[in-house]
């Protein structure tokens, strides 16, 4: 069963994934970010939460009411929330009825927890043969790390990303952004879109596993395997253009600027713009291969020439010569960026319970697709009653689920308070 006729508007049905139902048992970032993408494209994403809710509700800054942090709201728009106790037979049965109506089932639990709940791929595909069953795991199931817990920071270290970011003191550092979770979320989304397309042709269900460690390690090695791509190696590991200590925003008189000149033509124009056209004839810098061998010297000269100018002057000068550059923003200046203002990336809005908010609009443009926030981010179990009714539960049955604690809606709790606990079964 897909959305009911009363729940789906004409605008909804014009969306690319209209009619696709996703049962989403994920929490934190990687899964919710993936299903945000699917929801923005029009999928009916049913977010299934425990009574304690998605951990991101609680660990991502202050909110106006409990469990509605900014980060949670940005990743869970256009979704409906159902809260069920899956350890109770009645709660699990409700979930299975929801699966019977679904196109996609997605989780980021460990395999042992999934098996205990009877939500493994074999069990669910036996009920619904054309289901697309997707598990997001920290480590691939056929490797020795299978079953280990994993978070973004763990994988930043495990994939060598933190070591590549070591500062002048040699100490590894994390990227202050959950880059592996976000990247893996996009990988899961494109895997599910491919599976939906394939199922459209053959009608078959599929089991999909997306391991975060291997996925990001593959991306990073694609960048830095470098000379070890050959056997025997032709060069060292690591792209020295990216790993040099001066491969960073360049200091100006009043800030920093970001510049990339990959082609010979761009480098030659940079030298002209900075009043050193003679350097274009310097054997160290005249070709891309030569610059790789002398990249530290190139960066040092560039830094010296730019340090004498203000940021706005540098950006104006380089853009006049068609050289890719931007000021190095802070979070505060990013929000004030005029281009982002032009395109309306961050927009004012109102949430039914949170009042005035800023939301980040979907950025993809597609003919016939008008991205929008159709549903505000939900409270825990906000749509439990409505979805149970869609599944055929009568008022007495729904009341029984609530009375037993198998179903939950935060609005029914005293003062709307939810326990600030972390679900133990999550990855």
């Amino acid at each position: 069963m897909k959305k009911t006729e009363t729940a789906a508007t004409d605008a909804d049905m014009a969306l690319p994934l209209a009619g696709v139902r996703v049962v989403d048992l994920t929490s934190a970032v990687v899964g919710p970010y993936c299903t945000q993408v699917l929801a923005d494209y029009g999928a009916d994403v049913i977010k299934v939460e425990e009574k304690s809710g998605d951990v991101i509700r609680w660990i991502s800054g202050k909110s106006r009411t409990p469990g509605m942090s900014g980060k949670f709201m940005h990743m869970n728009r256009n979704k409906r929330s159902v809260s069920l106790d899956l350890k109770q037979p009645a709660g699990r049965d409700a979930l299975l009825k929801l699966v019977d109506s679904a196109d996609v089932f997605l989780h980021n639990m460990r395999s042992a927890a999934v098996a205990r709940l009877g939500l493994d791929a074999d069990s669910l595909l036996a009920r619904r043969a054309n289901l697309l069953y997707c598990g997001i795991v920290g480590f691939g199931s056929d490797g020795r790390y299978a079953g280990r817990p994993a978070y973004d920071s763990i994988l930043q270290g495990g994939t060598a990303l933190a070591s590549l970011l070591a500062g002048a003191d040699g100490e590894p550092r994390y990227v202050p952004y959950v880059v592996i979770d976000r990247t893996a979320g996009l990988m899961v989304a494109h895997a599910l879109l491919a599976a939906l397309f394939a199922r459209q042709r053959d009608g078959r269900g599929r089991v999909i596993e997306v391991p975060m460690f291997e996925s990001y390690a593959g991306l990073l090695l694609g960048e830095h395997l470098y000379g070890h791509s050959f056997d025997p190696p032709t060069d060292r590991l690591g792209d020295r253009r990216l790993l040099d200590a001066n491969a960073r925003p360049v200091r100006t008189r009043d800030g920093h600027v970001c510049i990339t000149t990959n082609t010979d033509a761009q480098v030659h124009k940079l030298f002209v713009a900075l009043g050193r056209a003679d350097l274009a004839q310097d054997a160290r810098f005249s070709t891309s291969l030569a610059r790789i061998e002398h990249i530290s010297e190139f960066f040092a000269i560039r830094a010296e020439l730019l340090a004498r100018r203000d940021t706005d002057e540098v950006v104006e000068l380089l853009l006049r010569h068609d050289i890719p550059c931007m000021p190095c923003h802070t979070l505060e200046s990013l929000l004030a960026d005029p281009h982002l203002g032009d395109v309306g990336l961050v927009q004012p809005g109102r949430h039914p319970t949170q009042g005035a908010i800023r939301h980040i609009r979907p950025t993809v443009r597609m003919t016939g697709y008008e991205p929008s926030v159709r549903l505000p981010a939900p409270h825990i179990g906000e749509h439990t009653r409505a979805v149970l009714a869609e599944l055929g539960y009568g008022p007495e049955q729904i009341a029984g689920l609530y009375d037993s604690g198998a179903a939950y809606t935060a609005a029914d709790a005293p003062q709307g308070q939810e326990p600030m606990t972390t679900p133990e079964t999550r990855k």
Side-chain angles (χ1 to χ4, degrees), residues 172-402:
R173 283 169 167 74
Y174 296 133
V175 178
Y177 166 76
V178 286
V179 61
I180 293 181
D181 272 2
R182 297 275 186 173
T183 304
L186 292 175
M187 290 180 167
V188 178
H190 79 59
L192 288 172
L193 291 171
L196 283 166
F197 182 77
R199 195 186 69 164
Q200 188 73 17
R201 293 182 301 185
D202 61 25
R204 294 169 47 202
R206 283 169 171 78
V207 180
I208 303 156
E209 179 182 271
V210 181
M212 298 169 67
F213 176 56
E214 295 96 305
S215 295
Y216 203 83
L219 290 177
L220 190 137
L221 288 172
E223 199 76 54
H224 289 293
L225 196 56
Y226 215 58
H228 282 241
S229 302
F230 304 93
D231 188 11
T234 59
D235 203 344
R236 67 182 188 180
L237 285 164
D239 186 336
R240 64 193 66 180
R241 296 173 308 132
L242 304 177
L243 297 178
D244 188 89
N246 289 309
R248 58 188 176 188
V250 184
R251 183 178 294 278
T252 61
R253 201 155 46 194
D254 62 348
H256 293 82
V257 67
C258 300
I259 307 169
T260 294
T261 48
N262 283 330
T263 69
D264 292 343
Q266 288 171 336
V267 172
H268 295 171
K269 286 192 289 186
L270 176 66
F271 289 146
V272 170
L274 298 180
R276 288 298 309 274
D278 58 297
L279 290 173
Q281 307 306 316
D282 190 313
R284 296 171 299 170
F285 312 129
S286 58
T287 67
S288 57
L289 288 175
R291 284 193 301 278
I292 291 174
E293 297 301 322
H294 299 278
I295 197 68
S296 292
E297 298 161 82
F298 171 69
F299 284 151
I301 291 173
R302 186 182 68 176
E304 179 186 355
L305 294 173
L306 290 173
R308 308 168 187 171
R309 304 169 186 262
D310 291 340
T311 301
D312 288 347
E313 176 192 358
V314 170
V315 171
E316 181 182 354
L317 174 65
L318 298 187
L319 289 179
R320 199 184 312 144
H321 287 79
D322 199 28
I323 297 169
C325 66
M326 281 193 80
C328 183
H329 275 313
T330 63
L331 287 173
E332 290 76 14
S333 65
L334 177 63
L335 276 176
D337 184 278
H339 177 85
L340 296 185
D342 293 342
V343 301
L345 177 68
V346 181
Q347 300 181 342
R350 290 198 68 82
H351 188 280
T353 63
Q354 304 307 297
I357 62 170
R358 290 172 170 173
H359 70 82
I360 304 166
R361 71 165 179 81
T363 56
V364 173
R365 290 186 173 184
M366 183 188 307
T367 303
Y369 165 55
E370 185 65 35
S372 64
V373 179
R374 306 181 311 282
L375 291 173
H379 287 270
I380 298 172
E382 181 176 332
H383 304 94
T384 302
R385 293 179 185 275
V387 172
L388 288 173
E390 287 180 21
L391 296 176
Y393 283 84
E396 292 184 2
Q397 291 174 296
I398 293 174
L401 287 169
Y402 275 86

